[in-house]
Amino acid sequence: MKIGDLSGRTGVPTRLLRYYEEQGLLHPDRGENGYRSYGAAAVRDVQQIRGLLDSGLTTEMIRAILPYLSGPDEIILPAEHLTPETAALLQGHIDRIQARIDCLARNRDRLSAYLAAVRPDGVAASGSIPHR
């Protein structure tokens, strides 16, 4: 399929698809006319790239692990292929995610405590139960 077809199937603008190619995330074939040609698996690859980007991974991290992804829930990365650099990238990202989770949990708890203190009935917003 051509780049416009891939864009239509994934909802990702052609400009971004070209950027993914520049970053080494997509590897289309080129026809004699120079047009990009994508296989059917490119739809899944683009969806996977989008999901990884949405989760906060950088294109550098994605480039390192993408060859070992066999689907959205499975990573097949033999230990001998995990370089110290890739491990450090992934561990750094895990640490940043955990820091965000900790910060969000503290903010949630503070807001819940504030609502419990200022509301006469002690019920959190929308009648929901505060998380602990």
Side-chain angles (χ1 to χ4, degrees):
M1 77 187 94
K2 291 190 171 54
I3 194 168
D5 298 326
L6 182 59
S7 175
R9 289 186 184 186
T10 61
V12 175
T14 57
R15 186 175 65 82
L16 270 180
L17 295 174
R18 288 186 196 98
Y19 174 75
Y20 297 162
E21 181 183 353
E22 290 170 11
Q23 296 300 306
L25 304 178
L26 288 179
H27 306 281
D29 293 327
R30 293 284 185 151
E32 288 181 18
N33 57 7
Y35 288 2
R36 292 167 178 84
S37 176
Y38 297 91
V43 172
R44 183 204 60 198
D45 292 343
V46 169
Q47 291 168 338
Q48 191 140 44
I49 291 165
R50 292 298 315 149
L52 293 168
L53 287 168
D54 289 346
S55 74
L57 269 65
T58 65
T59 56
E60 179 183 9
M61 288 185 237
I62 295 169
R63 187 174 41 256
I65 66 169
L66 196 59
Y68 305 105
L69 300 178
S70 62
D73 298 323
E74 189 173 4
I75 298 177
I76 302 172
L77 179 57
E80 64 272 12
H81 291 176
L82 181 64
T83 66
E85 295 81 13
T86 300
L89 279 173
L90 294 175
Q91 187 60 55
H93 188 64
I94 290 168
D95 294 345
R96 286 187 297 279
I97 289 172
Q98 188 60 55
R100 285 194 309 243
I101 290 169
D102 294 346
C103 180
L104 288 169
R106 281 190 307 274
N107 289 337
R108 177 203 59 213
D109 293 346
R110 287 177 188 145
L111 291 171
S112 293
Y114 173 75
L115 281 175
V118 299
R119 287 190 166 194
D121 58 6
V123 177
S126 302
S128 65
I129 299 170
H131 297 277
R132 307 245 177 219

